[in-house]
Amino acid sequence: MAGGVWGRPRGAPVGALTLTALAEGIRARQGQPPGPPSTSPQPESELESEVEPQRAAASPTAGSETFCRPPAQEPAPVIPHQVRCLVRGLLAQVPSLAEGRRRRAVLRVLSALALEHPRDVVSLGAQPGEGAPRPSEQARWFLHPSTPGSLANLPQEKLSFVLSSMVIVPNTRAAAELWRSLSRNQRVNGQVLVQLLWALKGTAGPQPEALAATRALREMLAVSGCVGATRGFYPHLLLVLVTQLHELARGTCSPDTPKVWAPSYQGPPHSHASCTVEALRALLTGDGSRMVVTCMEQAGGWRRLVGAHTHLEGVLLLASAMVAHADHHLRGLFADLLPRLHSTDDAQRLTAMAFFTGLLQSRPTAQLLREEVILERLCTWQGDPEPTVRWLGLLGLGHLALNRRKVRHMSTLLPALLGALGEGDTRLVGAALGALRRVLLRPQAPVHLLSAELGPRLPPLLDDARDSVRASAVGLLGTLVRRARGRLWVGPRGPLRKLVLRSLVPLLLRLHDPSRDAAESSEWTLARCDQALRWGLLEEMVTVAHHNSPEALSRICQRLVQWYPSHVPSFLSQTQGYLRSPQDRLRRAAAVLIGFLVHHSSLSCVNQDLLDSLFQDLGQLQSDSEPSVVAAAQVSCQQVALLARTQHCPHCWRLLGLLRLPHLGQHHAHPARLPPVYEDSPFQHWSLAGHWDCSGPG
């Protein structure tokens, strides 16, 4: 046979009888009974009389962890090189063959070889070359029921074997057409998708087989109507794709990932992660969940999903979007998640935890398990040594306690939230601050309890080095004050009043925060404090926030000194600490605030030791690298010296001479203390108009 067929010159025609004998020989090696030669001019299915009746494939149920994977079959020992030569020769002849006995014989040989050597046949069939048929013609060979050996007519076990081998098809236009044609065939598309799902489950990370299977899924799911074939294993397929993104994110950080998801990008994705995201988008879009895709786009969810450090945030966004717009899949997802929570694979387990946490926002979904079971699981996560697990547990506690109008499980929730404020992980602190704010927004919130508990915990967070934590802490204080307005705990001896006064200096200085979010949050919180304590300084505070007005700040300091004289030393000491801030704008703002506070104070409010300390620290700023800080410190030093002169402080006058400050006039025992005059700040100030891109009318 080798000399009779493979020995022919390339492109030489092969007779129908020779091809029939070759097909019968291949079938004999496969253990199949030989089929009678076909003499009818009409095409017929050759395999219907040769194989066992096709068994009905049971559709896997949602949440099942196992599918009926077909057993592998051992191919016959034929030399692959000879097979490739034979297939190339046959493929070259098919386009020139008309419908008839000879063409059917060629297809019969290809079908027989596909069962014995599917990798070689399919890969060569997907590679366009000299004399090769067009992709659409290749697809008809594999799919049309009238084609001998059609995939549509194969029994379950042989179809599964062929499809599992087809995953190696190269990434060509012909391969894409082949998968799309498979997708359009309702007799086989569901089985093909199951095989591709198995291919993904059997590989991990950026392996060639996983990438090929992902590309095939992307092509098939993009065809309209194909997603309907995933009924029964849709949640499983979705979780496998999302988990694969986690594995890819942990393994590699592809340099083309940021470019792929740029708004202006229009080309096809090339990286493994990009293919996976496209397959996931097609799965959601084909199911009618276009709003989920839109929400992910608007929130940057796709970019987060492919990020090495933001993948779980993307999973949480996806879960939230599905709770809002695809609740018909939540039961299946929840059922599939439960066994994955105990997986030994970190990527699978953490992805399942993030999905589980996000789905707790849905009350019907959370009711699939008893609340005691969910609560016990989340509390267990709180004791995990991994910060990521504790973060997810904290988010889950918040969702479980707050998915109804009334706050529940308060005895479990509050200790966990308050304890997380001292964590070093930014995600944990941010989750705790966000959950506490949501607790305060609920009816019958424990405002008095939180006022007392947050008293020692919240002020340090107002000066936290992390911008997001600082902004969230300031916002939480504003929410607390807003909820407590008019209550007894805002009174002269209330815990919240003490917390507000202790936080007043940081709030005023954080109006100049380099972080826009922190600066705007400080402005909002100061406005809430003004309403609760009836200061009547809202206009001045807004003017300072948006125009950095020294006159408005002077009026604020004058009122504070008049209303809270016993707190003036505390105000000055707190402000003094900001003179050592690494931020130029905060050092300057602190120097200016000290100058106005001292100017409006009297000797009965400030002791000599504090004045000496202020004078020394302001004097050290004379060598500051920022000229505006030096100028502000000089003016404030003058104010400190004027107040100290009334106490005849020789130390201050000696320092005043060393600093070469302007002559204050020594002809009078108590010269008039003129208000300080500061130069305009060189630092740009945040504006809400700029933030909302509102340039004004017209």
Side-chain angles (χ1 to χ4, degrees), residues 183 189-190 193 217 220-234 237 279-289 329:
S183 180
N189 56 7
L193 290 171
L217 273 174
M220 291 191 67
L221 295 174
V223 175
S224 177
C226 178
V227 176
T230 64
R231 179 175 299 175
F233 59 93
Y234 181 100
L237 178 58
L280 188 57
R281 290 163 59 103
L283 180 65
L284 292 166
T285 303
D287 184 56
S289 302
H329 285 303

Side-chain angles (χ1 to χ4, degrees), residues 55-343:
R55 293 178 298 179
S59 178
T61 58
S64 62
E65 282 293 316
T66 58
F67 294 94
C68 298
R69 192 171 189 175
Q73 300 182 11
E74 292 293 335
V78 177
I79 303 175
H81 173 70
Q82 294 176 330
V83 172
R84 286 193 291 270
C85 292
L86 176 59
V87 172
R88 285 196 185 98
L90 294 176
L91 288 176
Q93 294 186 30
V94 169
S96 60
L97 297 178
E99 290 291 341
R101 181 178 179 183
R102 187 176 177 183
R103 182 183 181 92
R104 291 196 300 275
V106 170
L107 295 178
R108 188 182 304 117
V109 173
L110 287 173
S111 300
L113 289 173
L115 289 178
E116 189 170 358
H117 301 281
R119 293 180 182 270
D120 297 294
V121 174
V122 175
S123 61
L124 289 172
Q127 294 177 355
E130 182 182 358
R134 294 184 300 275
S136 58
E137 190 172 354
Q138 296 176 26
R140 286 198 298 272
W141 296 346
F142 285 102
L143 297 175
H144 200 279
S146 63
T147 301
S150 168
L151 293 180
N153 296 321
L154 288 179
Q156 172 66 32
E157 63 273 8
K158 294 187 176 181
L159 174 65
S160 301
F161 177 64
V162 174
L163 292 176
S164 62
S165 303
M166 288 174 63
V167 174
I168 65 169
V169 174
N171 184 29
T172 62
R173 183 174 62 89
E177 177 63 25
L178 172 63
W179 293 116
R180 287 194 291 268
S181 299
L182 283 170
S183 180
R184 296 185 186 98
N185 190 303
Q186 297 182 1
R187 298 184 62 181
V188 298
N189 56 7
Q191 300 175 45
V192 174
L193 290 171
V194 170
Q195 290 300 317
L196 293 175
L197 175 58
W198 269 108
L200 288 181
K201 287 173 64 68
T203 57
Q207 298 183 10
E209 293 82 1
L211 176 57
T214 305
R215 285 171 174 161
L217 273 174
R218 180 191 66 190
E219 297 297 338
M220 291 191 67
L221 295 174
V223 175
S224 177
C226 178
V227 176
T230 64
R231 179 175 299 175
F233 59 93
Y234 181 100
H236 198 89
L237 178 58
L238 186 143
L239 289 176
V240 167
L241 290 173
V242 177
T243 302
Q244 186 184 67
L245 285 173
H246 196 177
E247 294 168 349
L248 294 172
R250 289 161 62 102
T252 57
C253 295
S254 177
D256 70 332
T257 295
K259 294 185 294 182
V260 168
W261 302 117
S264 59
Y265 183 81
Q266 299 295 333
H270 299 289
S271 73
H272 195 162
S274 303
C275 288
T276 307
V277 170
E278 287 297 330
L280 188 57
R281 290 163 59 103
L283 180 65
L284 292 166
T285 303
D287 184 56
S289 302
R290 178 61 192 172
M291 281 302 300
V292 176
V293 177
T294 302
C295 290
M296 290 289 286
E297 291 173 350
Q298 293 176 347
W302 302 121
R303 183 183 297 274
R304 285 183 168 89
L305 274 177
V306 300
H309 304 291
T310 59
H311 170 78
L312 295 180
E313 297 176 12
V315 175
L316 291 169
L317 286 173
L318 178 59
S320 299
M322 295 191 71
V323 167
H325 303 291
D327 57 352
H328 54 291
H329 285 303
L330 300 188
R331 284 178 169 268
L333 278 172
F334 202 76
D336 252 5
L337 288 172
L338 296 180
R340 293 168 175 261
L341 297 176
H342 305 285
S343 174

Side-chain angles (χ1 to χ4, degrees), residues 60 163 210 474 534 564:
L163 292 176
V474 172
R534 298 187 176 94
Y564 310 110

Side-chain angles (χ1 to χ4, degrees), residues 485-682:
R485 186 176 61 181
R487 306 289 182 87
L488 293 177
W489 41 85
V490 195
R493 298 183 181 180
L496 187 54
R497 182 186 183 91
K498 296 178 182 178
L499 177 58
V500 169
L501 293 178
R502 185 181 174 186
S503 307
L504 187 54
V505 166
L507 292 176
L508 287 171
L509 293 177
R510 290 297 169 187
L511 292 174
H512 310 271
D513 198 292
S515 167
R516 166 176 281 179
D517 291 339
E520 294 180 353
S521 186
S522 298
E523 179 187 356
W524 183 82
T525 300
L526 280 172
R528 306 288 81 75
C529 294
D530 179 82
Q531 292 176 344
L533 298 179
R534 298 187 176 94
W535 288 337
L537 295 172
L538 181 60
E539 181 180 352
E540 285 78 3
M541 290 175 177
V542 173
T543 304
V544 171
H546 292 275
H547 304 289
N548 203 5
S549 168
E551 294 80 7
L553 182 60
S554 178
R555 290 194 294 271
I556 292 174
C557 292
Q558 181 182 13
R559 300 285 185 86
L560 294 178
V561 170
Q562 291 175 354
W563 293 334
Y564 310 110
S566 62
H567 288 79
V568 171
S570 176
F571 293 158
L572 288 171
S573 297
Q574 282 183 283
T575 311
Q576 187 179 4
Y578 287 87
L579 296 176
R580 294 179 287 275
S581 170
Q583 301 291 336
D584 294 343
R585 62 174 69 219
L586 286 182
R587 292 199 306 277
R588 182 189 181 278
V592 172
L593 183 58
I594 287 176
F596 283 123
L597 285 173
V598 169
H599 173 73
H600 293 290
S601 299
S602 62
L603 291 176
S604 60
C605 299
V606 188
N607 58 48
Q608 186 62 51
D609 292 337
L610 180 56
L611 287 176
D612 291 345
S613 177
L614 289 172
F615 206 94
Q616 290 178 3
D617 286 353
L618 288 169
Q620 292 178 359
L621 291 181
Q622 302 305 308
S623 59
D624 196 274
S625 59
E626 172 57 42
S628 63
V629 174
V630 175
Q634 288 180 346
V635 177
S636 296
C637 267
Q638 181 177 350
Q639 291 298 316
V640 174
L642 285 173
L643 181 59
R645 183 175 182 179
T646 60
Q647 293 185 345
H648 305 286
C649 174
H651 177 65
C652 292
W653 284 105
R654 184 169 62 255
L655 287 177
L656 194 62
L658 292 175
L659 295 175
R660 300 178 181 179
L661 292 178
H663 181 65
L664 300 178
Q666 302 180 5
H667 301 292
H668 304 282
H670 301 285
R673 289 195 293 160
L674 299 176
V677 178
Y678 296 95
E679 298 177 357
D680 293 337
S681 173

Side-chain angles (χ1 to χ4, degrees), residues 333-510:
L333 278 172
F334 202 76
D336 252 5
L337 288 172
L338 296 180
R340 293 168 175 261
L341 297 176
H342 305 285
S343 174
T344 57
D345 180 73
D346 287 344
Q348 187 175 108
R349 178 172 55 90
L350 291 175
T351 299
M353 285 181 168
F355 245 119
F356 181 86
T357 297
L359 294 185
L360 291 179
Q361 298 174 89
S362 168
R363 287 178 56 187
T365 305
Q367 291 173 352
L368 296 176
L369 283 180
R370 288 184 294 115
E371 282 199 356
E372 294 77 10
V373 175
I374 299 177
L375 197 61
E376 180 181 1
R377 187 187 302 274
L378 296 175
C379 290
T380 302
W381 294 0
Q382 286 295 293
D384 195 279
E386 175 62 39
T388 299
V389 177
R390 298 201 302 274
W391 168 58
L392 293 174
L394 198 65
L395 290 175
L397 281 175
H399 293 331
L400 185 65
L402 301 172
N403 65 3
R404 297 183 184 178
R405 184 168 178 81
K406 183 180 178 181
V407 181
R408 299 172 299 142
H409 311 296
M410 189 63 67
S411 59
T412 303
L413 179 63
L414 280 188
L417 296 179
L418 294 173
L421 295 179
E423 289 273 3
D425 191 282
T426 303
R427 296 171 301 173
L428 274 165
V429 182
L433 291 170
L436 286 170
R437 179 179 178 275
R438 290 164 59 198
V439 168
L440 286 170
L441 294 176
R442 290 296 191 275
Q444 301 178 355
V447 179
H448 187 268
L449 175 61
L450 286 177
S451 300
E453 293 290 344
L454 290 174
R457 295 179 172 91
L458 199 55
L461 297 177
L462 302 180
D463 292 320
D464 195 274
R466 298 162 291 189
D467 292 350
S468 60
V469 172
R470 198 165 58 247
S472 297
V474 172
L476 178 61
L477 176 60
T479 304
L480 183 61
V481 173
R482 183 181 184 183
R483 285 304 313 273
R485 186 176 61 181
R487 306 289 182 87
L488 293 177
W489 41 85
V490 195
R493 298 183 181 180
L496 187 54
R497 182 186 183 91
K498 296 178 182 178
L499 177 58
V500 169
L501 293 178
R502 185 181 174 186
S503 307
L504 187 54
V505 166
L507 292 176
L508 287 171
L509 293 177
R510 290 297 169 187

